[in-house]
Amino acid sequence: MSQMTGFKCLACAREHRPGDAAYVCPACGGNLDVLYDYERVGARLTKAGLAADRELTIWRYRALLPIADSSPVPPLAVGWTPLYDCPRLAAEFGVQQLLLKDDGRNPTASFKDRPSALVVVKAREAGASVVTTASSGNAGSALAGMCAGVGLRSVIFVPETTPAAKIAQLQVYGATVILVDGSYEDACELCLAAAERYGWYQRTTGYNPYTAEGKKTAALEIAEQLHWQAPDRVLVGVGDGNIIGGLWKGFTDLRRLGWLDRVPRMVAVQAEGAAPIVDAIDGDGVIRPVAAETVADGIRVGEPRDGARAVRAVRESGGAGVKVSDAEIVAAIGRLARATGVFAEPGAAAAFAGFVKMCEGGAVGADERVVIVITGNGLKDVETARRAAPAPLRVESPQMMPIEQIVAGLKA
Ligand SMILES: *Cc1c(COP(=O)(O)O)cnc(C)c1O
Ligand SMILES: [Zn+2]
């Protein structure tokens, strides 16, 4: 793990050596940022080397990840997801280019495969036999899938309100599933207590310092897919704040390496009923917990566990926070799917809803290249998706009904 040199606390700014912190800051309990020797990284990772590399997963960036050279990685192919150019949507909204980073294409169908794959490597480095996480759904299914791939046991704490598909994933991957009759915050408290008591390796977002490093791989991919140029703006749905913080880390790592001279503005999109991070961005930067209420389970977080990292990403990048209503999120699922063929789950469609809202408010320039990160696949929550589309035509007695009569019933 020679390229990783240590940690820096986001709260007290103290630095720690790799062996001196397992999860959070030993001095103050704050969340940690991973530090690297960028000269060493730059000597091992080159643009030409990447261009020739046929490892089309997150592991192509191994020299910029906090793992040992000899560590085995999980077999499921995580990352290198498509970056779709959407010229018709770009024209409709009057921007130069609109791109979708479709992370619903990952093995367990969400962005969370990136951090979970990396955490599984760290868990095995630590000699763990059980890995645990609290989750609003996707982090759990991703961890369960990655653990299944390598034969590790997983114990997943999720709120009972988690969509059925995500719970089904946990079950089929063989995780020990603990359904909590409470909020995501309740699930986090139970998981942290259990891990401490039984010595399980802890993946929970905003506690494990490596999740943001796994998440940054999406930014590395976006830059490489754009031939080492940064987009002007990146929008993403925000719950705990770890994805947006991780993406920002990826772009700033590339700036440190001298591979990007510009970095994008980061836009945090939250649901109106769960927007403590956007409120902090628009206010004094301090996170104040709320009772979260939104249809989008992936971003239903009232007490964000990585809020400071998210606020820093938005402020340092000159970005913004945007709130969208549940109605706007549901409408965005249908509009995005019809316009592009990309089916997003609510927490992912929220980012597109945020883009629509920013464009309507004139906040996006006509010369901009915009990336929207699609953090999860629409099949994760079909119940909500079906609210985004008209009901199909129903044929009651198919044997009796002439086809002309059926088709005549179709208005459009
Ligand atoms: C987890 C998740 C998010 C938000 O990520 P945070 O790190 O919690 O901000 C957004 N969309 C989906 C689909 C997610 O699962
Ligand atoms: Zn600290």
Side-chain angles (χ1 to χ4, degrees):
M1 184 204 307
S2 43
Q3 63 270 15
M4 174 181 163
T5 55
F7 298 105
K8 182 170 182 175
C9 177
L10 284 168
C12 75
R14 279 192 190 83
E15 295 191 7
H16 307 283
R17 284 174 304 182
D20 291 347
Y23 298 111
V24 291
C25 176
C28 80
N31 290 356
L32 298 174
D33 217 0
V34 175
L35 303 175
Y36 292 93
D37 175 349
Y38 289 94
E39 241 167 68
R40 199 185 173 99
V41 172
R44 299 182 59 195
L45 195 67
T46 63
K47 292 182 191 175
L50 283 167
D53 191 350
R54 292 169 67 183
E55 174 67 69
L56 297 178
T57 67
I58 59 172
W59 308 116
R60 64 196 280 101
Y61 307 111
R62 195 173 172 126
L64 189 44
L65 291 172
I67 60 174
D69 287 343
S70 58
S71 290
V73 298
L76 295 172
V78 176
W80 203 252
T81 55
L83 184 66
Y84 292 126
D85 195 358
C86 307
R88 281 179 291 125
L89 263 189
E92 187 180 335
F93 286 97
V95 297
Q96 196 200 18
Q97 195 176 20
L98 181 66
L99 299 141
L100 300 181
K101 179 68 171 162
D102 186 11
D103 255 53
R105 287 278 300 266
N106 277 304
T108 79
S110 88
F111 193 102
K112 301 294 199 302
D113 283 336
R114 298 176 184 275
S116 297
L118 180 61
V119 164
V120 161
V121 176
K122 298 307 290 180
R124 291 164 101 198
E125 283 181 0
S129 53
V130 180
V131 191
T132 190
T133 194
S135 169
S136 64
N138 285 334
S141 43
L143 182 63
M146 292 304 132
C147 283
V150 300
L152 266 180
R153 233 191 103 199
S154 62
V155 181
I156 314 291
F157 294 76
V158 288
E160 211 164 27
T161 50
T162 300
K166 299 184 184 183
I167 295 174
Q169 284 184 292
L170 299 176
Q171 292 172 277
V172 297
Y173 288 136
T176 299
V177 188
I178 298 169
L179 289 185
V180 180
D181 179 13
S183 65
Y184 169 58
E185 284 73 20
D186 295 322
C188 285
E189 291 312 313
L190 288 180
C191 179
L192 291 171
E196 194 151 311
R197 171 74 176 74
Y198 298 105
W200 299 335
Y201 190 81
Q202 176 60 266
R203 180 228 173 270
T204 296
T205 300
Y207 188 72
N208 187 301
Y210 300 111
T211 59
E213 296 300 307
K215 288 170 176 182
K216 85 181 179 187
T217 57
L220 307 180
E221 289 175 18
I222 290 167
E224 188 175 0
Q225 287 167 321
L226 294 176
H227 309 289
W228 304 112
Q229 287 184 339
D232 296 294
R233 196 180 293 269
V234 174
L235 294 99
V236 66
V238 169
D240 276 313
N242 193 250
I243 293 184
I244 196 167
L247 290 169
W248 179 238
K249 178 73 179 295
F251 288 117
T252 52
D253 272 358
L254 293 174
R255 186 172 57 184
R256 281 286 291 272
L257 285 169
W259 292 17
L260 290 181
D261 45 15
R262 272 179 338 107
V263 284
R265 295 176 192 277
M266 305 299 298
V267 179
V269 184
Q270 292 203 289
E272 278 173 0
I277 290 178
V278 172
D279 285 339
I281 290 164
D282 292 343
D284 59 4
V286 178
I287 307 282
R288 290 177 188 80
V290 301
E293 189 58 62
T294 168
V295 68
D297 63 285
I299 55 173
R300 191 186 295 141
V301 180
E303 292 180 46
R305 303 193 61 87
D306 213 11
R309 204 188 306 264
V311 171
R312 184 181 70 168
V314 171
R315 292 203 164 161
E316 282 184 6
S317 70
V322 185
K323 292 187 204 181
V324 292
S325 69
D326 277 4
E328 287 167 334
I329 291 172
V330 172
I333 296 173
R335 189 169 183 184
L336 183 68
R338 288 190 298 273
T340 67
V342 173
F343 184 12
E345 69 165 282
F352 178 62
F355 170 73
V356 172
K357 195 154 211 174
M358 282 191 103
C359 287
E360 285 167 359
V364 184
D367 55 348
E368 285 193 36
R369 176 189 259 182
V370 178
V371 171
I372 298 174
V373 184
I374 304 302
T375 43
N377 192 288
L379 294 174
K380 292 264 194 177
D381 182 1
V382 291
E383 209 178 303
T384 304
R386 294 190 71 186
R387 290 165 43 191
L393 184 71
R394 190 159 173 278
V395 178
E396 251 164 53
S397 21
Q399 290 86 1
M400 317 284 286
M401 185 86 98
I403 190 66
E404 290 79 8
Q405 204 177 323
I406 295 173
V407 174
L410 299 171
K411 290 275 165 347

